[in-house]
Amino acid sequence: MLDDLLSATHASGKPIPPQLAGASTLGESEGLQLANEIASSLESHGIRQTLVDAGEWRGGPRSDRVLDDEEKKRLQDIIAMIKGSVELFTGASVSTVREPKNFDPTRDQMFDDTTKVNYEVANVILSAISKGPYARMSGEVPRPIYRGMALPVAVARALKVGDVFGRDLSSWTKSQSQASKFARGDMGAKEKDPNFLLGTLSVMFEIKKPTTGGQIENYSEFRSEQEVIRSGQVRIIKITEREPGDSISIIYECEEI
C-alpha cells in the first residue's frame, strides 16, 4: 500500500501520470531515439552534466570549440526534451495521461502540441533522471529530502525499522514544510475529499543524505515545491514518535539501498 501511494502522487499530492512510473517498450520516432541516446548520460551524470556535455554553458569554463549548427540543434532539442518531460510530469492532467493509448488531440491535450509520443519520451527521460546522481555539480552538499503522507493508522503503526519500500518513480521534496503541508492535507486534498485525514496519521519520511534522484525544480511548473524524483528502494532505519498535538505524528528516517 505504501508503494502504491508513493508511486501514485507527487510530494504535493497531485497525481503522477501512470505511464511515468518506469521505462517501457517504446515505438520508433526521432524524439524517442534521442531520448534513449541521452538516457544513459542522465542516469550516470544527471541533468546538468548531460547538458554541459552537449555544449551548454552556464557561466563556467567552456571549451574554445564553437558548436556547429547540427550540434546547436541537438542541444536545443535536448533542452526542450528535458524541460517538456518535466512539465508534463509536474503539470499534466489526468485526462491527458490516464489512457495514453486512447490519446485524443482534440480533447486530451495539456499543451497545444502535445502528442502521445511526448508522454512516451517523458517516460524515458524521467526514468533516467530519477536514477541519476542527486548532486547537480561537484561539491554540492546533499540536502535531506522528505515525503509527507496521511497514512491509515494501522499501516503507519505496522511500519518498523528494517522495512523496505520503493518502486517505480516516486516524488520527494527538499522542502520539509512542503511535505508537512501535504501530510496535513493542506495542499488541496482536504477540499477534494473531506474524509482525507479521518482514520489516518500525518507522517513524514526522510532521507538525510540522498545520493540519487533528479532535482527538477528548475524545469518544473511548480518550482516552489522543490521536487526531487527518484526510483529505487529505501529502508527505514529509525522511527521517531512525535508529541501528541504535533502536526506530524511519526517521522521515518530512511536510507537508500
Side-chain angles (χ1 to χ4, degrees), residues 122-140:
N123 185 326
V124 174
I125 295 296
L126 293 171
S127 293
I129 290 173
S130 72
K131 300 171 186 174
Y134 177 83
R136 290 172 294 190
M137 62 193 75
S138 176
E140 180 178 3

Side-chain angles (χ1 to χ4, degrees), residues 152-168:
V153 174
V155 175
R157 296 296 185 193
L159 292 174
K160 59 186 183 299
V161 171
D163 280 350
V164 173
F165 62 91
R167 67 169 190 243
D168 303 325

Side-chain angles (χ1 to χ4, degrees), residues 41-43 45-53 56 58 78 82 86 125-126 129 132-133 135-136 214-216 219:
S41 177
L42 288 168
E43 186 170 336
H45 307 299
I47 300 174
R48 181 182 176 87
Q49 190 59 50
T50 295
L51 294 177
V52 169
D53 290 344
E56 186 183 53
R58 287 190 178 182
I78 291 173
I82 291 173
V86 173
I125 295 296
L126 293 171
I129 290 173
R136 290 172 294 190
Q215 301 183 50
I216 62 172
Y219 305 91

Side-chain angles (χ1 to χ4, degrees), residues 12-33:
S12 64
K14 298 190 303 295
I16 287 178
Q19 79 274 25
L20 298 183
S24 60
T25 302
L26 304 173
E28 294 292 329
S29 78
E30 183 179 353
L32 285 173
Q33 181 178 347

Side-chain angles (χ1 to χ4, degrees), residues 155-217:
V155 175
R157 296 296 185 193
L159 292 174
K160 59 186 183 299
V161 171
D163 280 350
V164 173
F165 62 91
R167 67 169 190 243
D168 303 325
L169 198 66
S170 61
S171 174
W172 296 64
T173 176
K174 293 184 291 185
S175 169
Q176 189 174 23
S177 62
Q178 188 80 12
S180 295
K181 287 178 181 178
F182 178 51
R184 298 193 305 266
D186 295 344
M187 299 299 293
K190 197 184 298 184
E191 287 84 5
K192 296 175 185 177
D193 180 4
N195 298 315
F196 178 69
L197 293 177
L198 293 181
T200 66
L201 289 176
S202 296
V203 306
M204 186 179 296
F205 297 88
E206 176 185 15
I207 302 175
K208 287 187 179 295
K209 296 182 178 180
T211 60
T212 62
Q215 301 183 50
I216 62 172
E217 71 265 31

Side-chain angles (χ1 to χ4, degrees), residues 90-106:
T90 57
S93 65
V94 174
S95 62
T96 306
V97 300
R98 181 164 285 166
E99 295 292 340
K101 65 182 179 180
N102 297 325
F103 182 83
D104 182 352
T106 66

